[in-house]
Amino acid sequence: GLPAQPPAPAGPAPRTPRLTPAVVVLALLLVAALGLYWGPVLAMGEADLDGMGGLGLVSVLSPVTLLGAALLIGVFASLLWLERPHKRLLMLTLLATVVSLHALPAVIEAEPRFATAWQHLGFMDYIDRTGSAVPDLDARWSWPGFFAAAAFLAKACGVSDLTELLRWWPTVIQLLYLAPMFLLLRSVRASWRAKWTGLWIFILSGWVGQDYFSPQGFTYLLYLMFVAILLVYFRAPHVLWSTRRPGEVEVEPTDRRQRTVLLGVLIVLFAATVPAHQLTPFVMLGVLAVLVVVGRSELRGLPLLLGVIVVSWLGFLAEPYWSGHFHDLFGGVGGVGGNVTSSVSGRIQDGSSTHKLVLYTRVALAGGVMAFACFGWWRRRDWKYRERSLLVLTFVPFLGFGMQSYGGEMALRVFMFALPGAALLAGLGLFPRTGVTAKERDRERVTLAPLAALMAGLLLMGGFLVARWGNEPFERIRPGEVAAMDYVYAHDEPTVRLLWLSDDIVDNVTPSLPWGARDMEKVQYVPTLAPVDPVLVGGLVKALKDAGPNSYLIINRSQVVYLQLDVGYAKTWPTRLMHTLDNRQELKKVYLNDDVTMYQLREEPAGQVAKADPGPIGPQITWTPWTVVGALAAVALIVLLTAREVLRVATRPSVRQLRRLQSTFWFSLPLLAVVLASLIQRFLTMGLG
């Protein structure tokens, strides 16, 4: 068998790598790669983007740019051949890769991208004007934390125009993700090659596209910080060696004061996600709970505390979201098969055959990374290493499929949360050995793993450019569309209805339009069925009449391109539609530019224009005697459980400490029973009533 204690590594201590000719050549190649990549990109403009096909941005990128991308991959893979890690050059290459992958639209496009990011500006605008949240206006107002914090910071910094924030947010947040990932690497027992490769795969697989200015993009950063602190500082203090070596290193040495502060940081990170996003706290809670169950976290009481916090927010403060909408919230619970289908195959149905390649590429990339993660676990097992923590990080997020379909996006969210663990396991698949034995060091000298990393990197880089930017023909925001929305906001007194073209007015209710950036209580966005036959526009005219006075029909290029690429409308469809609308006597053009045409009825329908009615200020809580008792019990329970965890971490283990922990546990049980009874009563009377 193996020794009971980890053997000391043989050989002299690692020295700082010298500036060898190979390192100089690789540094020059990195500069050349960036020059090749960005040279043609900087010369591009809006006119070049109009030539995008079904594959999106990659279809208009110069072959020279693609050569630069390949060379960037080659530089990193070559750095893995070196005998010792050249950390500065590795770091520069990683940073260059992040910026090159994510800053493309920020540099090329005239307007910041992604429709929903503009809508999030509208949330901040409303908070800035009114100082309140209105849950009846939008379900996301039940989780206003991110918008309130962003609005406060913007006002404190004196920033009024936030469009540049939208432009650069994805690149900046992706760079910030690297900090907790580096911390997480300190918990993994692996060679330097495995660690850097895992981080590299994490970067090359970050194509999910949830990094725009949004609560989920920000709370994902908090999630990474949460799991990194958990795994580095709160595992069992001594790792036991048996026939298999542990996959984790010894826990970082800390004193009780430091551990208490870190526990406070964990609780604050979780508490910050609860009012900001619906899904992220449940993933954090699931990862923590499973780490406790498999013996990889000492914080055995923390899952109960965090569970009470998130359930209390959902049950008491998010009442407008679930009361009367039980099916929307819980209709998909347990329906794993249906949720997987709606998230994967349900998104690949109609549309351009070329554009379908983008969706198939996403499925292939996600499946490939997950398969490689499983291969990494198998190779580590083959070399007598026991992995638990990374398996938990990788596979616990898949429990999300048992919750709800999340509007058909659950597969993307699951892959995003699984990626930190999966990427590190994939890195271990290429470099499973740590070099602690003579046999391992001998195998390291003759490995071809850097060549395999090169092949994998080229596939991931090419796949990223297709998967991440394949929807750019309709996800980019055109200057004319921003100007058209400014026109709408200028005419939204007291309210206005803006009709836009959708293929499904029940499920597809997010337009490809920079919508909602201002006056969210005054502008109602009405999805209107786009006629497959562009001659049959009677439904559109009727919809305008039904919408009442001060209503517009908008035909914008991004939405039209979406209908063509993703749904399958004909190439000639927009031209014929506009020709038919122009010939309708009931309609008149009220706004026209290169990207947008807007119509209005010549004779406005009778009646008064409705006044803005955003609804009562939140949070809206229906107070009953049960609710009051339950809320007070929840506050007391959170305080008691927090004190219990602090006591466990801050004081030395002793008989007195054990008695205190037991007494607080028995005190917490009746409080927990009251909270649960109160919540059950609320759900039954208000949700199902």
Side-chain angles (χ1 to χ4, degrees):
L2 293 167
Q5 293 296 324
R15 300 187 307 272
T16 304
R18 290 181 293 106
L19 207 61
T20 62
V23 171
V24 172
V25 168
L26 289 175
L28 292 174
L29 285 175
L30 175 60
V31 174
L34 290 173
L36 291 171
Y37 188 94
W38 285 105
V41 167
L42 294 173
M44 292 176 67
E46 285 286 311
D48 299 289
L49 296 176
D50 291 337
M52 281 191 285
L55 290 179
L57 196 53
V58 75
S59 61
V60 293
L61 290 179
S62 163
V64 176
T65 293
L66 300 180
L67 177 62
L71 187 55
L72 203 54
I73 295 296
V75 169
F76 186 88
S78 300
L79 286 167
L80 299 176
W81 282 107
L82 299 178
E83 188 178 345
R84 298 180 187 278
H86 200 287
K87 292 181 181 178
R88 289 180 184 175
L89 195 49
L90 283 163
M91 176 62 85
L92 282 173
T93 308
L94 284 186
L95 295 178
T97 304
V98 172
V99 173
S100 297
L101 289 174
H102 291 280
L104 275 173
V107 172
I108 304 170
E109 296 175 9
E111 298 290 345
R113 68 182 302 282
F114 207 54
T116 308
W118 287 78
Q119 191 189 23
H120 291 165
L121 291 185
F123 283 78
M124 293 173 59
D125 166 71
Y126 190 88
I127 288 176
D128 190 43
R129 285 188 290 112
T130 68
S132 61
V134 277
D136 288 352
L137 199 58
D138 192 290
R140 283 164 289 185
W141 278 123
S142 290
W143 287 270
F146 172 78
F147 306 116
F152 172 78
L153 287 173
K155 195 156 192 174
C157 297
V159 179
S160 55
D161 182 8
L162 294 169
T163 51
E164 288 307 300
L165 176 69
L166 295 195
R167 183 185 299 279
W168 293 105
W169 178 275
T171 307
V172 171
I173 200 82
Q174 286 286 345
L175 289 169
L176 290 177
Y177 292 160
L178 295 183
M181 285 299 294
F182 269 110
L183 178 59
L184 181 60
L185 287 174
R186 289 166 62 174
S187 72
V188 181
R189 189 182 299 276
S191 66
W192 67 267
R193 292 184 179 89
K195 291 183 177 183
W196 284 95
T197 303
L199 200 55
W200 184 55
I201 293 172
F202 174 81
I203 290 168
L204 293 175
S205 302
W207 47 262
V208 172
Q210 298 299 318
D211 51 9
Y212 60 96
F213 181 72
S214 64
Q216 61 266 34
F218 177 70
T219 55
Y220 185 61
L221 175 64
L222 302 186
Y223 166 77
L224 292 175
M225 295 164 67
F226 182 84
V227 296
I229 292 171
L230 262 184
L231 289 176
V232 173
Y233 297 105
F234 288 103
R235 280 182 294 102
H238 298 292
V239 180
L240 298 178
W241 286 53
S242 59
T243 54
R244 294 189 179 278
R245 308 180 188 97
E248 301 90 3
V249 296
E250 297 288 337
V251 71
E252 292 278 337
T254 48
D255 59 35
R256 296 197 179 280
R257 182 180 298 176
Q258 290 171 321
R259 285 167 63 79
T260 306
V261 171
L262 288 167
L263 173 65
V265 171
L266 284 177
I267 296 172
V268 168
L269 288 172
F270 185 84
T273 66
V274 169
H277 195 237
Q278 303 97 309
L279 181 63
T280 309
F282 288 99
V283 181
M284 294 165 95
L285 182 58
V287 168
L288 170 62
V290 177
L291 284 173
V292 169
V293 169
V294 301
R296 285 299 183 268
S297 176
E298 288 189 301
L299 302 174
R300 293 183 294 279
L302 193 59
L304 180 59
L305 167 62
L306 302 190
V308 170
I309 291 173
V310 70
V311 171
S312 298
W313 180 277
L314 183 65
F316 294 108
L317 294 164
E319 178 187 317
Y321 182 66
W322 55 260
S323 61
H325 298 89
F326 243 49
H327 181 74
D328 295 341
L329 183 59
F330 299 112
V333 172
V336 178
N339 293 341
V340 172
T341 301
S342 66
S343 299
V344 184
S345 59
R347 298 173 72 88
I348 310 174
Q349 291 177 342
D350 304 311
S352 152
S353 56
T354 311
H355 187 65
K356 280 184 184 178
L357 283 175
V358 174
L359 305 175
Y360 284 122
T361 299
R362 290 182 167 192
V363 173
L365 286 174
V369 170
M370 296 308 299
F372 214 86
C374 295
F375 175 67
W377 169 81
W378 177 80
R379 285 204 77 191
R380 287 281 274 185
R381 191 170 178 274
D382 196 43
W383 280 93
K384 308 298 183 191
Y385 287 94
R386 186 177 64 248
E387 292 296 340
R388 284 191 192 171
S389 301
L390 293 183
L391 285 178
V392 171
L393 288 191
T394 304
F395 292 104
V396 165
F398 280 81
L399 296 175
F401 280 125
M403 294 171 65
Q404 54 172 316
S405 71
Y406 219 78
E409 285 193 0
M410 185 53 83
L412 290 175
R413 305 296 175 94
V414 164
F415 178 69
M416 180 175 78
F417 283 111
L419 183 58
L424 297 184
L425 279 174
L428 292 170
L430 288 168
F431 303 98
R433 299 172 291 274
T434 59
V436 295
T437 65
K439 181 183 177 184
E440 287 190 4
R441 288 193 293 277
D442 289 341
R443 287 295 299 272
E444 284 292 311
R445 292 191 185 97
V446 295
T447 181
L448 292 176
L451 186 59
L454 173 64
M455 298 294 107
L458 291 172
L459 282 174
L460 289 173
M461 172 67 88
F464 182 104
L465 292 173
V466 173
R468 181 71 181 91
W469 307 122
N471 289 344
E472 207 57 16
F474 52 84
E475 286 187 347
R476 67 182 270 231
I477 300 299
R478 294 165 167 83
E481 294 168 340
V482 176
M485 287 309 304
D486 287 339
Y487 176 87
V488 172
Y489 301 137
H491 293 78
D492 65 5
E493 289 292 345
T495 59
V496 65
R497 279 137 302 284
L498 187 65
L499 282 63
W500 58 275
L501 301 178
S502 172
D503 64 297
D504 182 346
I505 60 173
V506 176
D507 293 324
N508 189 3
V509 292
T510 303
S512 296
L513 186 72
W515 65 316
R518 295 208 305 272
D519 299 349
M520 68 182 301
E521 78 279 22
K522 296 179 182 178
V523 186
Q524 182 184 356
Y525 299 87
V526 185
T528 310
L529 198 61
V532 177
D533 186 341
V535 175
L536 305 177
V537 297
L540 296 179
V541 176
K542 182 179 183 302
L544 259 180
K545 291 177 179 176
D546 292 344
N550 206 27
S551 300
Y552 301 102
L553 170 67
I554 185 170
I555 317 290
N556 65 299
R557 285 178 65 191
S558 294
Q559 188 64 28
V560 165
V561 172
Y562 167 79
L563 292 171
Q564 291 172 324
L565 291 183
D566 222 45
V567 186
Y569 281 53
K571 275 191 175 183
T572 58
W573 181 82
T575 309
R576 295 175 62 203
L577 177 75
M578 307 275 274
H579 179 72
T580 308
L581 290 171
D582 288 346
N583 289 332
R584 291 293 293 232
Q585 293 301 311
E586 309 99 310
L587 302 179
K588 63 177 180 180
K589 283 183 185 175
V590 292
Y591 187 86
L592 176 69
N593 63 35
D594 291 343
D595 303 314
V596 172
T597 305
M598 283 171 56
Y599 296 91
Q600 193 176 26
L601 291 170
R602 286 187 188 277
E603 295 185 13
E604 291 276 40
Q608 291 290 318
V609 180
K611 293 184 178 179
D613 182 21
I617 292 172
Q620 297 169 21
I621 304 174
T622 304
W623 291 107
T624 65
W626 265 106
T627 302
V628 174
V629 172
L632 290 173
V635 172
L637 183 59
I638 289 169
V639 171
L640 184 63
L641 292 176
T642 302
R644 186 169 185 265
E645 284 310 295
V646 170
L647 179 68
R648 187 200 303 274
V649 169
T651 60
R652 193 182 304 278
S654 64
V655 174
R656 178 183 292 181
Q657 188 215 43
L658 184 61
R659 285 176 180 164
R660 286 177 177 172
L661 291 174
Q662 286 176 338
S663 63
T664 53
F665 177 72
W666 293 118
F667 267 113
S668 67
L669 286 182
L671 289 173
L672 181 62
V674 171
V675 172
L676 291 177
S678 170
L679 290 173
I680 290 169
Q681 187 265 347
R682 284 171 59 75
F683 279 127
L684 290 177
T685 56
M686 281 169 270
L688 301 177

